[in-house]
Amino acid sequence: MPEPGLRWGIAGYGDIVRRKALPALLSLGETVACVWGRDAARAQATCEEFGVSRDGSSGASGASGASGAFGTSDYTALLDVAEVVYVATPVAAHLPLAIAAARAGLPVLVEKPLGGAAPARGTVPEPSILHTEAAHHRGTIPEPAAHAEATYRRGTVPEPAAHAEVTYHRGTVPEPDDAHAGAVRHSGTVPELATAHAGVAYYRRLAPALGRVREILRGRAVHHATVEFRSHFDPGPDDPRLWRTDPAISGGGVLADIGSHRLDLLCWLLGEPVVTSARTGLPFDLGAERLARMELAWPLGATAGLEAAWAPGARHDRFHLSFEGGHLELDPLDSGTVRGIVDGVAVEEFLPPPENPHLPLMADFARSVREGTDPVCPVRDAEVVDRLIADAYAFATRLEELP
């Protein structure tokens, strides 16, 4: 007999919740107990759309999984009814909401990045913010010019020499025996989440093609990785995604948003690197960058280059690795196709990801809660990605032109 579904509280009602997370939870037979957001009416409408509201109405997903869920702008109401919390708000609220859930003794799955380079990391909001999501209300963010200066002003980050000394300090990178095992070290944690059952939604760790790449790399010396992403993104003033262009809310621009997934993959495959150089440029009016380039290095000699751009032109998303005995390429990254040469033999395998990548993600986190084991991406691993993002912004010099 299948186990009964856990009662999930969902913080947020944006695209990722409606297109991925909610359909995944209902497909898995999990129970949605509450949806929280700044606008209680929108939260309730989300419940009704998916047929999980208290009035029993059936929505786009039918009546299966109906649970008497309700929408609210009171976060403590969500904490009172949930067994598990999923946080899918703008990035600046990720840590405050996750910490509040952890303090309530609840497991919590957080969308990526954990915090990026958002200011005031690790703080818990005042009760009014927990009840109203006021941190994201229009008008509470700084004006563009002041914000950009405060965020990127020279002198607010360490000078390169001092920063390099901290970054390369002994013990912050993997030892040789686990450099290819995906083991990630970190130099600090968010204390409230250090002992909590917490994970971050880096779902590509569950992609079959990337699992196959990790298997092939095990025990091999990696020479170089290249990661390239480009897609057009230019939201107008009334676009609900505009918050992604304000680093005070989003934790950064294309590097924090798109680059975080790819940085996590590099850490998962190779261990924790250090940032050797970074460049960002072409900021939106609210300050977040459209273009970012990073160079990374590992203690055993591997290097990587990452480029991410929100820019016009043909979309691409490529991942290439050269290593002892061959090379592999995933192009596009999420195609499921792995091509290359391994020990002189041509490789071409097709291992497609699920149509909804949050389906295995939610299944994995539910399993980890029931079994009391780590989720596929524990929060300590996600903190490494945040550190790399913050280091890149600290090092970054200005890029003036698109590639």
Side-chain angles (χ1 to χ4, degrees), residues 86-174:
Y86 167 62
V87 175
T89 61
V91 177
H94 284 181
L95 277 169
L97 297 176
I99 290 168
R103 287 182 176 176
L106 300 174
V108 57
L109 175 64
V110 187
E111 270 303 324
K112 60 81 202 169
L114 182 61
R121 293 192 54 209
T123 59
V124 176
E126 295 299 316
S128 62
I129 293 178
L130 288 178
H131 286 262
T132 67
E133 203 182 357
H136 303 143
H137 196 285
R138 286 187 182 274
T140 63
I141 57 177
E143 291 301 313
H147 179 267
E149 181 183 357
T151 305
Y152 300 115
R153 186 176 64 247
R154 288 190 179 275
T156 62
V157 296
E159 293 301 315
H163 182 268
E165 181 182 354
V166 174
T167 302
Y168 286 91
H169 186 70
R170 186 177 297 278
T172 62
V173 293

Side-chain angles (χ1 to χ4, degrees), residues 120-327:
R121 293 192 54 209
T123 59
V124 176
E126 295 299 316
S128 62
I129 293 178
L130 288 178
H131 286 262
T132 67
E133 203 182 357
H136 303 143
H137 196 285
R138 286 187 182 274
T140 63
I141 57 177
E143 291 301 313
H147 179 267
E149 181 183 357
T151 305
Y152 300 115
R153 186 176 64 247
R154 288 190 179 275
T156 62
V157 296
E159 293 301 315
H163 182 268
E165 181 182 354
V166 174
T167 302
Y168 286 91
H169 186 70
R170 186 177 297 278
T172 62
V173 293
E175 295 299 317
D177 61 350
D178 63 9
H180 294 284
V184 173
R185 311 294 174 96
H186 52 91
S187 55
T189 62
V190 178
E192 293 90 343
L193 297 182
T195 57
H197 192 103
V200 179
Y202 286 118
Y203 58 79
R204 285 185 177 86
R205 291 185 175 207
L206 293 162
L210 288 157
R212 177 62 176 141
V213 169
R214 193 180 188 208
E215 179 183 306
I216 292 170
L217 291 181
R218 196 174 299 277
R220 298 175 185 267
V222 173
H223 304 317
H224 187 70
T226 302
V227 185
E228 299 173 313
F229 175 90
R230 183 177 185 137
S231 183
H232 186 56
F233 177 66
D234 190 18
D238 297 322
D239 192 316
R241 301 169 298 169
L242 185 63
W243 65 268
R244 293 168 69 186
T245 73
D246 184 343
I249 298 176
S250 63
V254 69
L255 177 60
D257 192 309
I258 299 299
S260 60
H261 265 298
R262 287 141 187 87
L263 287 170
D264 177 70
L265 280 182
L266 290 169
C267 291
W268 186 60
L269 293 170
L270 306 176
E272 183 178 346
V274 292
V275 178
T276 56
S277 71
R279 302 181 72 189
T280 61
L282 303 178
F284 291 97
D285 288 344
L286 291 175
E289 82 286 352
R290 292 179 171 91
L291 177 61
R293 293 175 183 162
M294 286 179 69
E295 298 292 332
L296 304 159
W298 282 259
L300 295 185
T303 58
L306 182 153
E307 180 174 282
W310 279 329
R315 188 185 192 278
H316 61 249
D317 191 2
R318 308 181 185 114
F319 191 83
H320 182 272
L321 285 157
S322 62
F323 51 87
E324 181 183 15
H327 60 86

